[in-house]
């Protein structure tokens, strides 16, 4: 049986770009649109022609491209009050965008018509109808976004319905009910969408915002009541708390409702799409994002992990690979030996469950975690720890015999200087380096001391540095945990250091990072 189709309408580039801290360049918009097209969404709303030159330029470029699955939409509003549609500059701009689809927002709520627009109820109906008819006459597919649909319907259902019927009669290809303020409950969305579906012959869509955390739930409630078109944004970007998150909508339709949104073959690329758009927007990935977050299939706790090991599916709502995610087993102070065994296997060590080494490693991890170490993001440090136990304290490639860090500055600037004395075999290297911070200077001094003996280090660089102050227990000083991420251009690894002193903690993490790089080099 063919699955019922739900249209996916992406507004990341228009509604999503309203989010605080998000600003897309023209090139960003093109790159995101290309990805969305490859992924298989049905509509890409590019912006509002006339609102700024960047959006107009986007449409100019978009018009010359061939799109595989998506149709590009330009956003605008109903004609102005008291102006003939053909004379309205908004309409001229929207036609200049040369998109196959135009989305028009108009008023549903009588309160807004009379108080905000200061128009008569009938004039608003005429504004909706004239605009849609004008665009249909110009050969456009017209999506009608009915602003404040649910607030309007709750206030005056007959008038709200009249506005939707006016849009349909004028030729709208879909009437999209909008929870513009994001304040409605799923049950209200379901009831009002059902009423609209009942009265309208054209497809009904849904556009929700996440102000109560119901952005996704409200969109799904509407689909369950007969809506067949969903508007939303990638990763839920949008004004205030954001829009309905398409990254959750898409797998929910597919895996939970047996409906068809994007093509099946795109599902394993879901995580990649979410991360790509975050990267372009320069937003950190939300580790707890449903479906695609780093923790979405992470398991912690001895008993539980033991079960996962045997029956992976028993603790997961879907297979992580189905959306491009991976199962992760966390090592933590809650963990039993099974976690360590699985983690060791992931890192390439083969441990027997009852071997004395396994017990020794588990005990050591627990002890270090009690001191403030954390290995969930520091796999390289854990690998070194396991190796240390298995190989009975193998000889180190280098040791730091002494180090010194100082800082000098004035009101305008400051500079740090680090000196290290390093032993490699029977050679001693003594180097000094400057940096804009103590860790930077220390890193520079370590590298220049080691570069001659280990040329592979030239490719290694720090990509992230995080510091967390751990609460001191009564009577003791607070500790500092430093997490470092390093990269050699091909892979990334994390290391950790803990001390009452931030420099010492940083040095531990840096030394682990270099050791790990050299081990695998
Ligand atoms: Zn919106």
């Amino acid at each position: 049986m063919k699955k019922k189709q739900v249209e996916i309408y992406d507004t990341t580039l228009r509604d999503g770009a309203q989010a605080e801290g998000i600003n897309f360049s023209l090139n960003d918009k093109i790159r995101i649109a290309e990805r969305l097209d490859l992924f298989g969404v049905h509509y890409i709303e590019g912006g509002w022609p006339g609102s700024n030159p960047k959006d107009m330029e986007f449409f100019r470029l978009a018009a010359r491209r061939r799109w595989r699955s998506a149709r590009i939409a330009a956003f605008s509003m109903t004609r102005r009050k008291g102006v003939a549609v053909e004379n309205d500059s908004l309409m001229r701009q929207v036609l200049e965008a040369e998109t196959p689809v135009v989305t028009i927002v108009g008023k549903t709520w009588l309160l807004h018509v009379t108080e905000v627009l200061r128009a008569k109820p009938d004039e608003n109906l005429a504004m909706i109808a004239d605009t849609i008819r004008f665009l249909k006459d110009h050969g456009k597919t017209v999506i009608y976004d009915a602003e404040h649909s649910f607030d309007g319907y709750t206030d005056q259902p007959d008038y709200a319905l009249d506005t939707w019927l006016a849009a349909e009669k004028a030729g709208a290809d879909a009437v999209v009910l909008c929870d513009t303020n994001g304040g409605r409950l799923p049950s209200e969305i379901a009831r009002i969408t059902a009423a609209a579906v009942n009265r309208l012959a054209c497809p009904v869509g849904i556009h929700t915002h996440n102000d109560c955390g119901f952005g996704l739930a409200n969109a799904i409630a509407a689909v369950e009541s007969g809506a067949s078109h969903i508007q939303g944004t990638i990763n839920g970007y949008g004004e205030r708390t954001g829009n309905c998150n398409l990254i959750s909508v898409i797998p929910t339709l597919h895996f939970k409702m047996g409906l068809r949104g994007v093509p099946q073959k795109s599902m394993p690329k879901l995580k990649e799409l979410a991360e790509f758009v975050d990267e372009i927007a320069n937003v950190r990935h939300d580790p707890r994002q449903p479906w695609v977050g780093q923790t979405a299939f992470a398991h912690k706790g001895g008993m539980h992990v033991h079960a996962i090991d045997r029956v992976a599916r028993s603790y997961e709502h879907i297979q992580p690979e189905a959306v491009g995610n991976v199962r992760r087993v966390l090592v933590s102070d809650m963990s039993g030996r099974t976690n360590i065994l699985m983690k060791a296997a992931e890192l390439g060590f083969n441990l027997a469950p009852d071997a004395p080494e396994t017990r020794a490693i588990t005990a050591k991890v627990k002890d270090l975690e009690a001191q403030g170490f954390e290995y969930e993001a520091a796999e390289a440090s854990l690998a070194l720890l396991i190796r240390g136990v298995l190989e009975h304290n193998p000889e180190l490639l280098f040791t730091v015999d002494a180090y010194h860090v100082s800082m000098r500055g004035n009101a305008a600037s400051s500079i740090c200087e680090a000196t290290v004395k390093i032993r490699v075999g029977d050679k001693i290297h003594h180097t000094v380096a400057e940096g804009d911070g103590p860790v930077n200077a220390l890193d520079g001094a370590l590298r220049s001391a080691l570069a001659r003996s280990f040329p592979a280090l030239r490719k290694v660089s720090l990509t992230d540095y995080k510091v967390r102050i751990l609460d001191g227990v009564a009577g003791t000083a607070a500790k500092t945990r430093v997490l470092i991420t390093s990269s050699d251009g091909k892979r990334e690894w994390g290391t950790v250091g803990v001390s009452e002193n931030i420099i010492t903690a940083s040095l531990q993490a840096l030394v682990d990072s270099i050791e790990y790089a050299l081990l695998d080099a």
Side-chain angles (χ1 to χ4, degrees):
M1 198 182 83
K2 202 158 179 285
K3 288 176 168 183
K4 193 186 144 202
Q5 176 82 58
V6 176
E7 289 184 331
I8 304 293
Y9 183 108
D10 180 278
T11 179
T12 307
L13 302 179
R14 203 266 311 166
D15 232 1
Q18 304 284 329
E20 186 173 359
I22 290 196
N23 188 14
F24 296 126
S25 70
L26 174 62
N27 188 42
D28 293 342
K29 293 185 86 159
I30 294 285
R31 288 183 69 193
I32 290 174
E34 283 173 346
R35 270 300 177 104
L36 290 168
D37 182 46
L38 281 177
F39 191 74
V41 307
H42 304 97
Y43 299 96
I44 300 170
E45 192 178 84
W48 188 330
S51 69
N52 62 67
K54 188 168 69 189
D55 283 10
M56 211 60 213
E57 187 58 20
F58 171 85
F59 289 118
R60 207 179 59 75
L61 293 175
R64 287 188 296 173
R65 252 161 225 267
R66 268 180 58 91
W67 301 92
R68 289 160 43 130
S69 62
R71 303 174 75 205
I72 305 293
F75 183 84
S76 194
M77 59 192 272
T78 51
R79 71 158 170 85
R80 294 189 177 92
K81 184 180 66 168
V83 179
V85 65
E86 59 275 16
N87 297 332
D88 194 318
S89 60
L90 287 173
M91 291 304 114
R92 186 178 41 81
Q93 286 161 341
V94 117
L95 293 179
E96 272 173 26
E98 289 184 38
T99 55
V101 182
V102 175
T103 299
I104 290 295
V105 65
K107 304 267 183 225
T108 311
W109 195 356
L110 203 51
L111 174 81
H112 270 255
V113 174
T114 55
E115 300 303 314
V116 180
L117 216 53
R118 297 194 180 275
K120 299 240 160 51
D122 282 348
E123 164 117 57
N124 179 49
L125 297 180
M127 285 157 65
I128 295 168
D130 293 352
T131 310
I132 293 172
R133 203 167 293 126
F134 174 81
L135 292 166
K136 288 306 293 180
D137 287 347
H138 282 82
K140 305 293 182 185
T141 293
V142 182
I143 311 277
Y144 177 64
D145 270 15
E147 193 182 51
H148 299 298
S149 291
F150 301 93
D151 302 317
Y153 187 94
T154 305
D155 223 18
Q156 248 141 345
D158 290 342
Y159 185 74
L161 264 171
D162 283 348
T163 66
W164 305 339
L165 288 164
E168 176 179 77
K169 194 160 164 245
D173 295 279
V175 170
V176 179
L177 310 182
C178 304
D179 184 20
T180 310
N181 295 353
R184 292 286 161 177
L185 297 173
S187 54
E188 297 173 306
I189 301 282
R191 177 175 59 82
I192 294 168
T193 303
V197 169
N198 211 3
R199 291 292 302 277
L200 294 167
C202 71
V204 171
I206 183 75
H207 175 120
T208 57
H209 282 258
N210 202 33
D211 295 75
C212 297
F214 297 146
L216 169 68
N218 282 348
I220 296 302
V223 169
E224 286 175 332
S225 294
S228 55
H229 165 120
I230 298 188
Q231 300 189 350
T233 63
I234 300 300
N235 298 328
Y237 300 161
E239 268 180 290
R240 308 185 304 276
T241 59
N243 284 56
C244 170
N245 186 352
L246 290 181
I247 292 296
S248 290
V249 164
I250 289 167
T252 302
L253 294 176
H254 186 87
F255 293 108
K256 307 291 172 176
M257 302 175 77
L259 300 171
R260 190 180 144 92
V262 303
Q264 159 115 30
K265 67 175 168 39
S266 293
M267 289 322 239
K269 297 186 182 129
L270 189 73
K271 183 178 165 69
E272 200 182 295
L273 175 69
E275 290 181 349
F276 174 83
V277 176
D278 268 350
E279 290 299 327
I280 299 285
N282 198 17
V283 170
R284 263 177 187 280
H285 310 316
D286 174 2
R288 284 192 291 273
Q289 183 168 348
W291 303 91
V292 297
Q294 199 195 345
T295 67
F297 300 95
H299 302 277
K300 195 173 191 171
M303 275 300 288
H304 187 158
V305 169
H306 198 67
I308 288 281
D309 195 21
R310 285 179 299 185
V311 205
R313 282 208 227 174
S314 70
Y315 284 90
E316 289 168 349
H317 72 104
I318 60 154
Q319 302 254 90
E321 295 76 21
V323 289
N325 213 334
V326 287
R327 175 176 309 129
R328 288 169 60 238
V329 177
L330 305 180
V331 179
S332 80
D333 52 9
M334 284 158 67
S335 73
R337 223 174 293 165
T338 320
N339 295 43
I340 301 278
L341 287 171
M342 286 182 73
K343 198 78 211 179
E346 261 177 59
L347 294 169
F349 297 98
N350 202 352
L351 297 182
D354 294 317
E357 287 88 354
T358 308
R359 240 168 290 148
I361 290 165
T362 310
K364 201 160 180 183
V365 168
K366 288 196 177 204
D367 178 44
L368 286 165
E369 285 187 335
Q371 293 175 38
F373 283 81
E374 195 187 88
Y375 292 100
E376 276 159 21
E379 276 115 340
S381 287
L382 181 65
L384 291 173
L385 183 154
I386 294 175
R387 178 174 170 268
V389 173
L390 291 183
E391 298 182 8
H392 303 284
N393 301 318
E395 203 180 327
L396 296 170
L397 293 167
F398 66 94
T399 52
V400 180
D401 282 1
Y403 64 99
H404 174 88
V405 178
S406 65
M407 187 191 125
R408 60 180 189 280
N410 53 36
S413 66
S414 67
I415 192 113
C416 287
E417 190 181 279
T419 316
V420 294
K421 194 169 140 195
I422 283 183
R423 184 186 300 274
V424 182
D426 52 5
K427 286 203 196 79
I428 302 272
H429 299 279
H430 211 145
T431 52
V432 59
E434 286 187 337
D436 49 15
V439 178
N440 190 229
L442 205 49
D443 184 44
L446 278 172
R447 266 162 215 284
S448 71
L450 291 167
R452 216 173 308 159
S453 310
F454 307 107
L457 277 185
R458 283 184 230 278
K459 281 194 212 131
V460 176
S461 62
L462 293 191
T463 55
D464 197 17
Y465 174 78
K466 279 196 203 79
V467 175
R468 171 157 301 176
I469 308 298
L470 309 171
D471 292 335
V473 189
T476 67
K479 282 190 176 174
T480 303
R481 181 199 293 144
V482 170
L483 270 173
I484 284 178
T485 311
S486 310
S487 166
D488 60 7
K490 282 190 224 119
R491 50 191 190 121
E492 283 210 322
W493 61 94
T495 52
V496 60
V498 173
S499 166
E500 283 162 15
N501 179 314
I502 186 170
I503 305 278
T504 312
S506 304
L507 183 73
Q508 287 171 4
L510 282 171
V511 166
D512 268 12
S513 163
I514 294 173
E515 279 261 350
Y516 186 78
L518 293 178
L519 269 186
D520 258 36

